[in-house]
Amino acid sequence: GYRVDLHETALAAGQMPHAAHHHVHEEMLLIREGTLEVTVKGRTERLGPGSAVYIASNEEHGWKNVGTSKATYFVLAFGEDK
């Protein structure tokens, strides 16, 4: 066992799911629809459908829906927070 967690989020225009943060587990962000402004380790990019972002352990990261409609995305978390 290696822990893998997956969830899907629908985020309203102009919203953030939470403030920028970091954690021990790794993550992948997979954008299904909409436009997200994603920041990882101080680098910000505007990304749309089909984009994927890898976030290594303990990297500061966050995102915001900068589009005019909802954004839908998946977050895959890999590993434990121990």
Side-chain angles (χ1 to χ4, degrees):
Y2 191 76
R3 181 185 166 119
V4 176
D5 182 62
L6 169 68
H7 69 267
E8 181 179 21
T9 299
L11 188 62
Q15 298 298 304
M16 296 176 66
H18 43 66
H21 63 287
H22 65 277
H23 37 67
V24 174
H25 68 261
E26 302 167 79
E27 284 185 340
M28 283 193 72
L29 174 66
L30 308 166
I31 303 170
R32 185 171 156 193
E33 64 181 336
T35 305
L36 296 179
E37 187 173 83
V38 179
T39 302
V40 179
K41 290 182 13 178
R43 180 178 172 192
T44 302
E45 291 194 37
R46 193 172 283 228
L47 303 170
S51 297
V53 178
Y54 171 76
I55 303 157
S57 176
N58 289 311
E59 287 184 334
E60 186 82 11
H61 62 281
W63 48 83
K64 180 178 183 176
N65 180 350
V66 293
T68 58
S69 61
K70 79 173 179 178
T72 305
Y73 57 89
F74 297 95
V75 175
L76 275 164
F78 305 103
E80 300 283 342
D81 279 332
K82 296 180 185 177

